[in-house]
């Protein structure tokens, strides 16, 4: 056999070896991938999402996602979150580990991969879903801006479904806590609505919610605040707005509504209403029925603590029906039950008065 033949045979052997190795590597990688079990869940948009069986690294990119993870005792699994909690000092008071979690309001795919994120919690309208669509990271929508429930029954199911979704993603312990929260929610809803369901329209004060940062920003039809007000025995004046969710109305519309009561949220005082001379003749201002909503680990208008907001609305709108409702006790019980934090009376009163922790 001449030298040229020997070289040809060696080349063939080398090629075969390389191809065989590549096949083995590919086969091994597939085995590794297949060995990572997965499961399917349905998010709040009704999408079927495949997630790992054991979720240990998540990105809490929905505004209130961090609150849900604190609620379910899953804070240690947050690989990244957004800055929403930094405006709510009770969040880091209750869960100090938040201070050690990277904050990224607009993380890119590569960054999330480098942090080994398995699941991203986001809103339907913040752009995150579309941006991550081509990645292997599971994107779970927790709240949507349109197509929301349009009656109290479907709303209560939707709210419980949101908490249950977080529980299902995060695993058995979280799922158990989510179920406990759902039972608690049902109990409080029944407690309030049994007393308000037979009120006539004339017995239900009209209510406007000034969401801040100004007087004309509100949450319109099919919003959480609409249903909490209605369950609490009020008539929500913005229930028939043209669109759902966060929006601005005109000053003329607010004056025409002339609400009996105004609740103010997400700002630190009622000044956006009471210091605006254009609103001085509104019934709520004349009758001094403008109230600053409490604020805790999250904004009460769209967080899990909204169940407490419903009770607060009920106590404020109908004190004669809820003489036995002690909001200090309700808040203390909630924080101990779900956050495992024993609030003092002073701390509880600060939450109810929309004040930060004394040490803040």
């Amino acid at each position: 056999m001449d030298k040229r033949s020997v070289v040809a045979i060696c080349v063939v052997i080398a090629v075969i070896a390389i191809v065989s190795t590549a096949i083995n590597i590919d086969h091994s990688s597939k085995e590794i991938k297949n060995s990572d079990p997965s499961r399917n869940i349905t998010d709040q948009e009704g999408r079927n999402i495949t997630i790992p069986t054991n979720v240990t690294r998540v990105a809490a990119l929905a505004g209130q996602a961090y609150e849900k993870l604190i609620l379910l005792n899953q804070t240690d699994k947050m690989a990244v979150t957004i800055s929403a909690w930094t405006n709510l000092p009770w969040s880091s008071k209750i869960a100090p580990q938040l201070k050690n979690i990277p904050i990224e309001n607009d993380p890119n795919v590569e960054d999330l991969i480098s942090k080994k994120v398995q699941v991203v919690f986001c809103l339907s309208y913040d752009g995150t879903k579309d941006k991550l669509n081509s990645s292997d990271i599971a994107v779970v929508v927790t709240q949507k801006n349109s197509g929301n429930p349009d009656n109290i029954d479907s709303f209560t199911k939707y709210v419980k479904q949101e908490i249950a979704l977080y529980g299902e993603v995060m695993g058995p312990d979280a799922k158990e806590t989510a179920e406990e929260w759902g039972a608690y929610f049902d109990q409080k809803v029944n407690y309030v609505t049994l007393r308000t369901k037979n009120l006539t329209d004339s017995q239900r004060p009209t209510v406007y919610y000034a969401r801040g940062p100004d007087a004309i920003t509100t949450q319109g039809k099919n919003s959480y605040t609409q249903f909490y007000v209605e369950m609490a025995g009020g008539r929500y004046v913005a229930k028939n707005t043209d669109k759902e969710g966060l929006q601005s109305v005109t000053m003329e519309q607010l004056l025409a509504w002339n609400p009996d009561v105004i609740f103010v949220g997400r700002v630190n005082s009622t000044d956006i209403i009471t210091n605006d001379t254009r609103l001085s003749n509104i019934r709520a201002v004349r009758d001094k029925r403008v109230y600053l909503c409490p604020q805790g680990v999250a904004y009460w208008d769209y967080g899990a603590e909204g169940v407490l907001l419903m009770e607060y609305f009920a106590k404020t709108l109908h004190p004669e029906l809820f003489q036995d409702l002690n909001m200090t006790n309700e808040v203390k019980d909630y924080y101990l039950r779900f956050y495992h934090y024993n609030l003092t009376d002073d701390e509880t009163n600060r939450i109810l008065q929309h004040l930060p922790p004394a040490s803040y």
Side-chain angles (χ1 to χ4, degrees), residues 39-315:
R39 54 198 167 97
N40 288 347
I41 56 104
T42 302
D43 73 3
Q44 289 290 74
E45 275 195 326
R47 301 179 309 136
N48 189 270
I49 310 297
T50 300
I51 64 171
T53 296
N54 184 28
V55 174
T56 59
R57 303 279 291 175
V58 302
L61 304 186
Q64 310 269 30
Y66 73 90
E67 177 215 21
K68 311 304 190 302
L69 296 170
I70 296 172
L71 168 69
L72 300 177
N73 196 28
Q74 302 291 307
T75 316
D76 61 322
K77 296 180 182 177
M78 267 191 277
V80 62
T81 187
I82 59 176
S83 60
W85 70 264
T86 61
N87 298 318
L88 295 141
W90 283 105
S91 57
S92 56
K93 176 74 173 179
I94 302 304
Q97 56 269 52
L98 273 177
K99 296 178 180 179
N100 300 320
I101 298 170
I103 293 175
E104 297 185 35
N105 290 322
D106 189 25
N108 57 46
V109 176
E110 291 75 18
D111 185 53
L112 294 174
I113 291 173
S114 72
K115 289 181 169 61
K116 300 180 179 179
V117 169
Q118 300 163 291
V119 175
V120 170
F121 294 111
C122 71
L123 305 175
S124 66
Y125 47 91
D126 62 8
T128 302
K129 179 182 66 174
D130 296 331
K131 185 169 65 175
L132 300 179
N133 203 30
S134 59
S135 75
D136 290 330
I137 301 173
V139 179
V140 177
V141 171
T142 60
Q143 288 183 2
K144 52 189 181 180
N145 199 42
S146 60
N148 287 297
D150 59 4
N151 60 71
I152 288 174
D153 286 343
S154 59
F155 168 71
T156 56
K157 291 176 184 176
Y158 181 83
V159 171
K160 289 186 293 180
Q161 182 179 304
E162 181 188 359
I163 306 300
L165 174 61
Y166 280 93
E168 189 174 6
V169 170
M170 301 310 298
D173 291 343
K175 185 176 181 179
E176 184 177 340
T177 302
E179 290 171 352
E180 180 187 348
W181 186 92
Y184 171 92
F185 181 79
D186 281 341
Q187 177 190 355
K188 298 305 179 182
V189 167
N190 290 337
Y191 164 72
V192 169
T193 56
L194 281 174
R195 301 187 186 193
T196 61
K197 66 180 181 179
N198 292 323
L199 292 172
T200 64
D201 278 354
S202 63
Q203 294 173 314
R204 294 174 177 267
T206 55
V207 176
Y208 175 72
Y209 178 65
R211 187 262 193 196
D214 52 50
I216 60 173
T217 299
T218 190
Q219 289 165 350
K221 70 177 180 181
N222 300 341
S223 61
Y224 285 39
T225 41
Q226 174 191 329
F227 295 117
Y228 286 138
V229 164
E230 291 178 352
M231 287 190 284
R235 285 182 287 154
Y236 196 70
V237 295
K239 68 177 295 181
N240 293 316
T241 52
D242 291 335
K243 66 176 186 176
E244 299 181 27
L246 182 64
Q247 59 194 277
S248 292
V249 297
T250 64
M251 182 61 68
E252 290 74 21
Q253 178 63 78
L254 178 51
L255 291 170
W257 279 331
N258 192 23
D260 299 315
V261 177
I262 296 177
F263 291 107
V264 179
R266 302 203 185 200
V267 290
N268 295 326
S269 77
T270 60
D271 288 353
I272 60 172
I273 299 294
T274 56
N275 286 357
D276 192 327
T277 56
R278 294 172 297 178
L279 300 174
S280 59
N281 288 321
I282 278 188
R283 190 176 295 113
V285 176
R286 291 200 320 266
D287 295 345
K288 300 188 185 304
R289 299 190 73 186
V290 181
Y291 304 99
L292 184 62
C293 291
Q295 184 167 287
V297 167
Y299 297 118
W300 280 18
D301 59 2
Y302 258 75
E305 291 181 17
V307 63
L308 296 171
L309 184 63
M310 175 192 64
E311 292 186 294
Y312 171 77
F313 284 162
K315 180 74 173 181

